[in-house]
Amino acid sequence: MWKVLARSSGATELNDFYPIRPECQADAPAPRFKPRAGKTLSQRRWNSSFDAEGHLNIAKVLRRIQRGGVHPSIKGEVWEFLLGCYDPNSTFDERTELKNRRRGQYDMWKAECQRMVPMIGSGKFITTPLIDEDGQPIDKSLIGVQPSNKKVLQWMQVLHQIGLDVNRTDRALVFYESEANQAKLWDVLSVYAWLDDDIGYVQGMNDICSPLIILIENEADSYWCFDRAMRRMRENFRTSASSMGVQSQLATLSQIMKTVDPKLHEHLEDLDGGEYLFAFRMLMVLFRREFSFAGTLYLWELIWGMEYNPNIFAKYEEPERAKANASPQTLSDKILKQYGKFERKNVKTGNAEESSALAVFVVASVLEIKHRRILNEAKGVDDVVQILGDITSNLDAKKACEEALKIQKKYLSKAQGKK
């Protein structure tokens, strides 16, 4: 309801779209992002980017996003395209049919979960364990079925942890004063955990899902958007006794810094920071702690816009077609304009490493911003962490992304020169 009121008033102040609880306002960082006429993708420009049948001019949209982000009133529907929920070449009718089919699928999955744990879909959520260490229900009234196999047992055991994390998620926002909104976040994460047999739920997924719950009113639609976001990021959450999910990205970050700023890299190695573990959290939850809430949304859409690949929908829905479309012989200048700035450079140079995500270059840009302080003041890894901590919620997302693109260009140039 609060979003609807903000839209109908014509408000452009971010706090009208993402209002902060009065008692939290003093501690809330001021957002650096503000919608700018002529640069930010507006409702009018978004609407004009579709033809009569509903085909989207994605090249036009990407140019606008990369210049000034997306206006808060349309972020949710724009993000659905950026994350690959819909094909820009589809029609209005095709997307409506797909949306209805997906909603029905989600409802079926949610009903399956609800049969096992009736609290799901009730508008409430749990924060205490359902199952004891022996696999027995603690309160049988909360369980719809006796845990009969390992998958059901493991899923029921994680539901209270999801609830605890939901209780801590974006608590400064008025949106989460409503238990129903918190329960919506819990429901989506619980259904996702049930369906992802491999990784399930890991702390931090709540931070990725929360903005999608806020921006996209229909729960099923927000689930599918979260599913697409996780397809990009789920490896970040994979951990084992010997490795962690972002390790490949940290290794890439080390290689980038060694190439573009050998002096800083050598200093970090001398401090036993050459593995760049201090950047773990930045990459794990895509800078949720380093930017204000509004700043995070702006950063994410800049990253997703710059990383955009027109084959992303087909990659998830029709992998063989996506592979054929990605062939270098099919990439004319017109098609290349449908790629984001960052991805276009990767395509041109043949750099297909998934660990070389724009977020890795954004971390490199943050290190470059703090280059002098780290060299002069850091006597250990703890000092590096403190120096980087000083930027919390105070980074300029646009500047960080622009610097990241410069570092990418420099890195690819030097890497090509070494071949």
Side-chain angles (χ1 to χ4, degrees):
M1 177 62 73
W2 58 275
K3 284 197 299 180
V4 174
L5 291 174
R7 290 182 191 183
S8 63
S9 69
T12 56
E13 287 301 314
L14 293 174
N15 284 352
D16 289 333
F17 283 89
Y18 324 119
I20 297 169
R21 294 160 60 183
E23 66 271 25
C24 300
Q25 286 179 0
D27 297 324
R32 300 285 295 266
F33 167 70
K34 288 183 173 58
R36 288 184 168 85
K39 290 188 176 181
T40 300
L41 179 65
S42 65
Q43 177 84 61
R44 182 181 64 80
R45 285 188 176 272
W46 172 243
N47 291 342
S48 70
S49 299
F50 294 90
D51 67 17
E53 292 184 326
H55 304 105
L56 176 64
N57 183 340
I58 193 66
K60 176 181 175 183
V61 167
L62 292 177
R63 285 196 301 272
R64 182 65 57 169
I65 292 172
Q66 290 163 169
R67 284 182 68 194
V70 181
H71 192 274
S73 63
I74 54 169
K75 280 186 188 290
E77 52 195 289
V78 175
W79 282 21
E80 287 181 298
F81 281 90
L82 291 182
L83 288 169
C85 292
Y86 300 115
D87 186 344
N89 293 318
S90 61
T91 65
F92 290 128
D93 288 343
E94 287 169 341
R95 289 195 292 275
T96 298
E97 191 275 331
L98 179 58
K99 185 188 292 278
N100 289 335
R101 190 167 74 244
R102 285 177 173 167
R103 286 179 178 180
Q105 180 70 70
Y106 177 75
D107 289 345
M108 187 178 75
W109 287 331
K110 186 176 177 181
E112 183 182 5
C113 293
Q114 193 173 34
R115 281 194 296 272
M116 295 182 285
V117 178
M119 187 76 77
I120 289 172
S122 70
K124 299 182 180 298
F125 63 102
I126 61 167
T127 55
T128 55
L130 291 173
I131 304 292
D132 64 22
E133 293 180 357
D134 297 322
Q136 297 302 311
I138 294 172
D139 183 346
K140 290 186 177 180
S141 69
L142 298 177
I143 304 288
V145 297
Q146 179 71 25
S148 56
N149 59 49
K150 186 178 179 182
K151 178 182 177 179
V152 174
L153 184 63
Q154 289 180 336
W155 177 68
M156 287 186 176
Q157 286 174 330
V158 81
L159 291 179
H160 83 281
Q161 182 59 56
I162 297 176
L164 289 171
D165 291 344
V166 164
N167 225 13
R168 294 188 284 257
T169 304
D170 292 322
R171 293 298 292 144
L173 298 180
V174 170
F175 183 85
Y176 285 119
E177 283 186 321
S178 160
E179 185 179 16
N181 287 337
Q182 288 183 296
K184 183 179 171 184
L185 176 58
W186 185 68
D187 286 348
V188 168
L189 291 169
S190 298
V191 172
Y192 182 85
W194 171 248
L195 294 169
D196 189 335
D197 294 330
D198 188 18
I199 297 176
Y201 173 79
V202 178
Q203 194 171 42
M205 290 181 181
N206 53 305
D207 291 312
I208 305 302
C209 189
S210 173
L212 303 173
I213 297 294
I214 292 171
L215 295 177
I216 301 173
E217 192 169 344
N218 182 278
E219 184 180 312
D221 296 346
S222 61
Y223 169 84
W224 283 102
C225 208
F226 176 61
D227 172 81
R228 293 308 191 252
M230 287 304 300
R231 289 186 187 225
R232 302 171 69 101
M233 302 176 61
R234 69 191 294 274
E235 290 304 311
N236 289 3
F237 297 94
R238 187 188 297 280
T239 55
S240 68
S242 59
S243 66
M244 55 189 175
V246 297
Q247 204 151 11
S248 61
Q249 291 188 44
L250 293 175
T252 301
L253 175 62
S254 176
Q255 191 60 43
I256 291 168
M257 295 307 298
K258 185 178 180 179
T259 302
V260 303
D261 195 340
K263 186 175 181 180
L264 181 58
H265 176 74
E266 186 178 343
H267 182 60
L268 290 169
E269 282 199 316
D270 291 341
L271 302 180
D272 289 329
E275 293 184 346
Y276 292 80
L277 293 176
F278 51 80
F280 173 86
R281 191 181 67 183
M282 290 185 194
L283 293 171
M284 177 88 163
V285 293
L286 210 56
F287 303 93
R288 275 302 315 262
R289 300 291 181 272
E290 284 69 37
F291 288 80
S292 65
F293 182 79
T296 299
L297 305 191
Y298 178 41
L299 175 69
W300 286 5
E301 64 205 18
L302 283 180
I303 288 177
W304 294 336
M306 291 178 180
E307 285 185 332
Y308 187 77
N309 185 314
N311 296 313
I312 186 172
F313 174 82
K315 177 183 176 182
Y316 300 146
E317 303 284 337
E318 304 164 349
E320 290 306 313
R321 180 165 73 89
K323 203 176 294 183
N325 289 348
S327 169
Q329 288 79 18
T330 65
L331 298 180
S332 64
D333 287 343
K334 182 179 179 181
I335 292 175
L336 278 171
K337 288 179 180 178
Q338 297 173 26
Y339 287 75
K341 287 181 183 177
F342 178 83
E343 183 64 10
R344 194 182 306 151
K345 182 73 72 173
N346 283 334
V347 168
K348 284 182 176 180
T349 58
N351 182 34
E353 293 180 36
E354 294 210 357
S355 57
S356 300
L358 179 54
V360 179
F361 287 90
V362 173
V363 175
S365 78
V366 171
L367 290 169
E368 288 297 277
I369 290 168
K370 295 298 178 181
H371 168 102
R372 190 181 298 277
R373 277 196 66 192
I374 294 172
L375 286 179
N376 294 339
E377 301 175 24
K379 309 301 181 187
V381 176
D382 288 347
D383 294 331
V384 177
V385 172
Q386 185 173 351
I387 290 168
L388 294 179
D390 291 345
I391 63 175
T392 298
S393 300
N394 203 29
L395 272 176
D396 184 316
K398 181 73 180 296
K399 183 179 178 182
C401 281
E402 287 175 346
E403 287 301 312
L405 291 174
K406 291 177 184 176
I407 292 171
Q408 180 207 24
K409 183 178 180 180
K410 184 177 179 181
Y411 172 69
L412 290 176
S413 174
K414 291 196 171 188
Q416 290 285 328
K418 289 180 181 178
K419 289 182 179 179

